[in-house]
Amino acid sequence: MFEAQFQSFEDRADRGASAPRVAALRAELKSRGLDGFIVPRADHFQNESVPPRDERLAWLTGFTGSAGAAIVLADSAVLFVDGRYQVQVREEVDGAVFSIEHLVDLPPHAWIIANLPAGTKLGYSPWLHTVDGAERLAKACDKAHGSLVPVGDNPVDAIWTDRPEPPLGAVALHELRYAGEDAAAKLARVQAEMPHHGADMLMVSDPHAVSWLFNIRGSDLPHTPVVLAFATVPRAGRPTLFVDLRKLGNEVRSRLEEIADVRPSAAFERYLAALGGEHRSLRLDPAICPEAIARLVVENNGTVVPGADPIASMKAVKNAAEIEGARTAQQRDGVAVTRFLAWFDRLAPRGELTEIDAVQALETFRRETGALKDISFPTISGAGPDGAIVHYRVTRRTNRRIVPGELFLIDSGGQYEDGTTDITRTIAVGPPTADMRRKFTLVLKGHIAIARAVFPDGTTGAQLDSFARQFLWHDGLDFDHGTGHGVGSYLSVHEGPARISKLGSAPLKRGMILSNEPGYYRAGTYGIRIENLILVTEATPVPGAEKPLNAFATLTLVPIDRRLVEPSMLTAAECAWFDAYHARVRETIAPSVDTAARAWLLAATIPLPRE
């Protein structure tokens, strides 16, 4: 199991294979009368995580990150990745084949305007681009005096001869004790909103929304228990669910057919064309819906009504059962991670461990809970300079021994039926340097600032993001990723619409669960990140307050390495928060760990020294 995980990653990151594959793609494009093609990391559902069958970008380029895109022209090729992957991409990708651009600073549409030769016919797959994304690309090509050409069958698939088969994981019902609301009630809530949307029908193109709406879970994606399916919800009457029927057992299908018409995935395109033929209007979210869906409706005389997906906000606000499940999952996960940290602290200073050893041990501790369904994403296990690679993935080729004098960063999570976890800890292996302590404490101060924040109802993540960065900024430092992302309930570890980042425009509502994960990365030396999950709650009443106030409750229960803290840099309030957090961790976790781990926990959570 472990070997396959590390080996599959290494196989995908094959630098030497990209040149002949790009050459084959260019030949295929020429035979189709195309001058170039855009290869995003995407599937038909616009998922962040995609099945192996849809890892076209990794297969073509060698880049295995979770976000990116490539443009291949007749005599050049460029790969776009964001700030998390600027180090990783140069290790995985052949620079003689692909030039590298920053996905945020110079996104594909901006690059096209500046670099696409006039007259170029640039191909793209409408299934792999959102409505908004395809519109940006088309406008960019027009400005460059080229043209964006839709293709029905993807040319990458034509040359990928050993492409994996589609996933066929069985669909399971998500029990009401975990979901907290039955599917019929959720559908009624959605339909109650639809008269305000001005359309006959709602398109549910996000599998996370489909899985939440129908209270189903699956295994179609690595580490994310969603069912790859589409659905439509009319203003009144029964919704229609499109799914590969081979995934449905008799009981699951019977339960679903009580509330919905269940049709095979192969019927979906014909259904959309028929809707258009009936001049029906379909509301869809242009930011997440593949353009192919809109095309099928409009080209058959239907109407598309653009608008935000109402299910996204409903799903993000957790109900009482989901919140209780999250607390239970975090406590269970906290026991596993604490056992791991005690084990790690015993062996790592001897130089006995590698990055892969740490991954294997942590997953083993989680599996020993008896409740783990899967990890929530591939564990990031970075020793020394590897910790500076924000989304580093260890392979047999890159595996480093963990040695004294380094920092070790481990970012991991678990999928449990009652909740999804995500936690990062940075650990000193042997005595840390003064520089390590200072940088860690700057990150910790930002983490505490978010944890202690009190803010008016309606505040967005963008308004809070600088709370986490301010102390680093004072030293001329920063980190090139968001401060926090939404987290699903036994769904994706990354969930919208809310996030704490410079681009976080969605209001933070009570019941939302987000991460709090500021960091600092010194390339080639070390990485620091401190991540807990937090719940948006009602703040303690403030006398004279003129607006409703919200705050965060920290859910994660695992010690933060106090050896890396410089107490003189903390205020009295920050010290109090840190000690109170450790007291809660100690009281909650200690009864559930063995004697050795308990002794380690008690030492790891003693109060900070005060001057």
Side-chain angles (χ1 to χ4, degrees):
M1 174 180 63
F2 292 122
E3 179 64 34
Q5 172 187 340
F6 304 124
Q7 187 62 40
S8 63
F9 178 92
E10 190 168 352
D11 287 345
R12 289 162 55 200
D14 185 357
R15 291 171 61 103
S18 61
R21 290 172 181 175
V22 168
L25 177 59
R26 285 174 171 144
E28 179 68 21
L29 295 175
K30 186 175 181 179
S31 72
R32 299 181 182 212
L34 295 172
D35 303 308
F37 192 71
I38 306 174
V39 185
R41 186 180 187 272
D43 62 5
H44 285 200
F45 303 90
Q46 298 300 313
N47 285 306
E48 177 186 26
S49 176
V50 302
R53 179 177 179 81
D54 291 297
E55 289 278 19
R56 297 178 182 87
L57 187 66
W59 180 83
L60 183 69
T61 69
F63 171 64
T64 59
S66 63
I71 297 178
V72 177
L73 301 178
D75 55 4
S76 65
V78 59
L79 176 63
F80 304 85
V81 301
D82 64 32
R84 297 170 296 174
Y85 299 112
Q86 290 299 307
V87 176
Q88 176 180 325
V89 69
R90 286 167 173 79
E91 295 182 352
E92 292 183 340
V93 174
D94 188 344
V97 179
F98 289 93
S99 61
I100 308 299
E101 295 289 355
H102 197 291
L103 185 61
V104 177
D105 296 343
L106 185 69
H109 66 273
W111 184 93
I112 287 170
I113 293 171
N115 295 281
L116 194 72
T120 297
K121 295 180 179 178
L122 185 64
Y124 79 109
S125 168
W127 279 109
L128 302 183
H129 297 266
T130 65
V131 174
D132 282 351
E135 182 179 0
R136 282 192 297 272
L137 292 171
K139 289 180 178 178
C141 287
D142 186 59
K143 288 183 178 180
H145 304 291
S147 58
L148 189 68
V149 181
V151 299
D153 58 319
N154 197 306
V156 175
D157 299 347
I159 63 172
W160 189 357
T161 56
D162 57 348
R163 187 179 174 213
E165 293 298 315
L168 288 174
V171 175
L173 299 172
H174 191 49
E175 296 180 28
L176 185 60
R177 60 177 170 146
Y178 301 127
E181 182 180 16
D182 65 33
K186 292 179 178 180
L187 285 163
R189 277 208 283 153
V190 172
Q191 288 181 318
E193 285 199 12
M194 290 187 63
H196 308 295
H197 296 161
D200 300 321
M201 196 166 293
L202 173 69
M203 179 70 238
V204 190
S205 63
D206 180 359
H208 305 83
V210 172
S211 299
W212 177 88
L213 183 62
F214 292 97
N215 283 342
I216 53 178
R217 298 294 188 268
S219 57
D220 289 335
L221 296 181
H223 317 306
T224 305
V226 298
V227 180
L228 295 184
F230 292 112
T232 55
V233 180
R235 294 176 64 150
R238 288 164 64 84
T240 304
L241 175 67
F242 294 88
V243 62
D244 191 320
L245 299 182
R246 292 174 292 178
K247 301 176 185 177
L248 302 181
N250 291 337
E251 180 186 359
V252 172
R253 182 167 182 174
S254 176
R255 290 278 295 276
L256 287 172
E257 287 178 338
E258 292 175 6
I259 56 171
D261 295 331
V262 180
R263 299 189 183 182
S265 297
F268 183 52
E269 293 189 33
R270 295 193 302 273
Y271 173 85
L272 292 173
L275 285 181
E278 296 168 3
H279 304 287
R280 306 288 290 278
S281 58
L282 186 69
R283 179 185 172 96
L284 54 80
D285 190 334
I288 63 174
C289 185
E291 194 214 18
I293 290 176
R295 276 181 168 271
L296 282 164
V297 173
V298 172
E299 289 175 354
N300 287 280
N301 301 311
T303 304
V304 164
V305 179
D309 175 10
I311 296 175
S313 294
M314 295 181 186
K315 174 167 56 68
V317 176
K318 310 301 186 285
N319 58 43
E322 291 171 320
I323 291 171
E324 180 60 28
R327 293 187 185 278
T328 303
Q330 292 293 341
Q331 182 171 338
R332 179 191 306 118
D333 201 63
V335 170
V337 179
T338 297
R339 292 180 62 205
F340 163 78
L341 291 176
W343 169 88
F344 182 90
D345 244 14
R346 186 175 69 253
L347 299 179
R350 306 176 190 171
E352 296 181 7
L353 301 179
T354 67
E355 294 168 335
I356 287 179
D357 291 336
V359 174
Q360 293 174 330
L362 181 50
E363 185 170 338
T364 297
F365 283 123
R366 282 195 165 106
R367 292 197 181 280
E368 287 177 355
T369 66
L372 184 73
K373 306 298 288 187
D374 197 352
I375 54 175
S376 54
F377 57 94
T379 299
I380 298 169
S381 174
D386 289 344
I389 304 172
V390 179
H391 275 207
Y392 171 69
R393 296 287 187 268
V394 60
T395 71
R396 295 291 175 192
R397 175 178 55 83
T398 65
N399 189 26
R400 291 184 79 253
R401 185 163 296 279
I402 302 165
V403 298
E406 291 185 332
L407 294 183
F408 176 67
L409 185 152
I410 188 156
D411 184 351
S412 68
Q415 290 283 11
Y416 306 93
E417 285 186 284
D418 48 5
T420 300
T421 71
D422 185 3
I423 174 176
T424 307
R425 288 296 182 263
T426 305
I427 310 162
V429 184
T433 66
D435 173 70
M436 292 172 178
R437 288 166 59 86
R438 177 171 181 81
K439 299 303 192 298
F440 184 91
T441 307
L442 292 173
V443 173
L444 176 62
K445 286 170 73 70
H447 180 94
I448 294 173
I450 294 292
R452 297 181 62 237
V454 176
F455 47 95
D457 205 31
T459 297
T460 68
Q463 291 172 292
L464 295 183
D465 182 70
S466 60
F467 286 28
R469 301 177 189 272
Q470 57 182 311
F471 307 101
L472 288 164
W473 285 350
H474 289 163
D475 272 25
L477 309 172
D478 202 356
F479 52 95
D480 198 5
H481 58 75
T483 298
H485 54 80
V487 178
S489 182
Y490 191 42
L491 280 171
S492 178
V493 74
H494 291 160
E495 178 179 83
R499 52 180 168 164
I500 303 173
S501 82
K502 298 172 185 177
L503 302 177
S505 59
L508 305 182
K509 299 179 180 180
R510 294 172 190 173
M512 288 181 169
I513 296 176
L514 301 102
S515 66
N516 173 10
E517 52 177 310
Y520 169 71
Y521 311 91
R522 174 168 287 179
T525 307
Y526 60 74
I528 296 168
R529 188 160 63 250
I530 306 169
E531 178 184 19
N532 285 341
L533 297 192
I534 51 180
L535 170 71
V536 183
T537 65
E538 181 180 3
T540 302
V542 176
E546 297 180 353
K547 293 183 177 182
L549 295 176
N550 296 333
F552 293 120
T554 296
L555 300 177
T556 306
L557 294 167
V558 173
I560 297 168
D561 195 342
R562 61 189 302 282
R563 297 168 300 189
L564 283 165
V565 179
E566 179 49 64
S568 65
M569 294 174 59
L570 299 180
T571 66
E574 290 167 341
C575 282
W577 181 93
F578 189 85
D579 289 343
Y581 174 70
H582 271 174
R584 187 160 67 94
V585 171
R586 182 172 60 248
E587 292 165 6
T588 306
I589 301 300
S592 301
V593 295
D594 57 42
T595 302
R598 187 178 304 116
W600 177 89
L601 175 62
L602 296 179
T605 57
I606 61 175
L608 292 171
R610 307 291 176 91
E611 292 184 355

